């Protein structure tokens, strides 16, 4: 029964997202009451599907870079040679979350210009912490007995890392990746303030013109994308962990 309800929710959320992206006019009767002074109820200045695609490109690009650095950093600080760097690495990862993305944009624009690049930098910094912390936690939770068994089988450090430690840490790493992705889907809306292509354009247009219908359209699309992508990543995580004989975190 729970599976049926979950699948119905997924289908309903996906259907609403597709309508918002490609047939928003079907919902105009709900949006018109949110406008005033005969303002348009449906955002038509740019294709919503195109803006959503640009939004996802920003998120995917930033998360890919964050994941590479955070996982490599997590591996490094959990080795004996890098253990002393854990406090510094943790402080750097935390700084990425605590430094306001708007401030990052303000600092990055003079160096990189307007467009996608300053937004990618801000999202990259924002995505570091959950992936880094989950990588460290996942690698540290591997049982010493398991590591001793791997050593007893004659594995060297590299073999032990890739055959034992990373597979066992994978559920937590994937969980960090999911959290970072959802955070960045929401945060990427600020990119429109520096001319990055994304759904923030719709929300900002609504704020400027005092059009609640535009704000609702942009917010709903971002929210539905975050929910559906998080859910899809959870299904992929479960499939991967089952395949390698582990339980998802």
């Amino acid at each position: 029964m729970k599976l049926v309800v979950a699948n119905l929710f997924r289908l309903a959320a996906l259907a609403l997202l597709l309508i918002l992206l490609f047939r928003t006019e079907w919902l105009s009767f709900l949006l018109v009451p949110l406008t005033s002074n005969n303002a348009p109820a449906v955002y038509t200045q740019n294709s919503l599907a195109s803006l959503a695609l640009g939004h996802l490109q920003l998120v995917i690009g930033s998360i890919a870079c964050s994941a590479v650095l955070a996982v490599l950093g997590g591996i490094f600080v959990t080795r004996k040679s890098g253990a002393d760097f854990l406090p510094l690495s943790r402080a750097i990862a935390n700084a990425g979350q605590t430094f306001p993305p708007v401030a990052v944009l303000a600092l990055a624009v003079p160096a990189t210009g307007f467009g996608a690049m300053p937004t990618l930098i801000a999202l990259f910094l924002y995505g570091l912490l959950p992936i880094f912390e989950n990588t460290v936690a996942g690698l540290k939770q591997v049982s010493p007995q398991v590591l001793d068994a791997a050593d007893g089988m004659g594995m060297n450090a590299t073999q032990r890392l890739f055959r034992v430690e990373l597979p066992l840490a994978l559920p937590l790493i994937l969980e960090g990746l999911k959290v970072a992705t959802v955070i960045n889907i929401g945060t990427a809306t600020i990119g429109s303030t520096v001319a990055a292509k994304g759904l923030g354009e719709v929300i900002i247009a609504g704020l400027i013109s005092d059009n609640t219908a535009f704000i609702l359209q942009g917010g709903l699309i971002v929210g539905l994308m975050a929910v559906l992508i998080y859910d899809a990543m959870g299904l992929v995580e479960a499939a991967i962990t089952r395949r390698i004989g582990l339980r998802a975190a």
Side-chain angles (χ1 to χ4, degrees):
M1 184 62 184
K2 288 182 179 179
L3 181 60
V4 173
V5 173
N7 286 334
L8 287 175
F9 175 79
R10 291 182 183 117
L11 288 174
L14 179 59
L16 179 56
L17 176 61
L18 292 175
I19 290 172
L20 285 166
L21 290 177
F22 300 103
R23 289 291 183 267
T24 317
E25 63 273 13
W26 290 0
L27 302 175
S28 59
F29 69 98
L30 295 173
L31 298 172
V32 167
L34 301 176
T35 64
S36 59
N37 301 321
N38 295 318
V42 176
Y43 186 81
T44 57
Q45 294 178 23
N46 274 313
S47 164
L48 290 174
S50 176
L51 292 176
L53 179 60
H55 196 97
L56 288 177
Q57 288 174 339
L58 289 173
V59 172
I60 292 170
S62 61
I63 286 295
C65 295
S66 296
V68 170
L69 182 60
V71 171
L72 289 176
I75 291 171
F76 174 67
V77 298
T78 53
R79 308 302 97 184
K80 288 183 179 179
S81 58
D84 291 340
F85 293 93
L86 177 57
L88 175 61
S89 301
R90 184 164 277 155
I92 293 172
N94 273 285
Q97 280 273 348
T98 56
F99 205 67
V102 175
V104 176
L105 292 179
L107 294 172
V109 165
T112 64
F114 287 89
M117 187 55 66
T119 308
L120 285 170
I121 294 172
L123 296 179
F124 162 75
L125 293 174
Y126 232 53
L128 285 175
L129 181 61
I131 304 174
F132 175 79
E133 288 292 353
N134 278 38
T135 301
V136 172
L139 291 170
K140 284 191 170 185
Q141 60 135 26
V142 178
S143 168
Q145 288 81 4
V146 172
L147 299 179
D148 289 340
D151 291 336
M153 293 172 64
M155 293 186 185
N156 58 36
T158 302
Q159 290 173 326
R160 190 179 73 174
L161 173 64
F162 285 99
R163 295 184 184 180
V164 178
E165 294 181 72
L166 283 176
L168 290 174
L170 187 59
L172 275 176
I173 295 173
L174 291 176
E175 188 64 30
L177 191 62
K178 287 194 301 181
V179 171
T181 300
V182 170
I183 289 172
N184 278 8
I185 289 174
T187 307
T189 55
I190 66 168
S192 296
T193 61
V194 291
K197 186 177 181 181
L199 291 161
E201 176 181 319
V202 185
I203 297 172
I204 292 172
L207 291 172
I208 292 173
S209 61
D210 194 24
N211 191 331
T212 306
F214 287 178
I215 298 172
L216 183 62
Q217 286 168 65
L220 276 175
I221 293 172
V222 171
L224 287 169
M225 286 199 312
V227 169
L228 289 169
I229 289 173
Y230 185 88
D231 184 62
M233 292 179 72
L235 295 176
V236 172
E237 175 191 350
I240 291 174
T241 51
R242 278 198 307 269
R243 186 175 180 83
I244 62 177
L246 295 175
R247 185 178 62 185

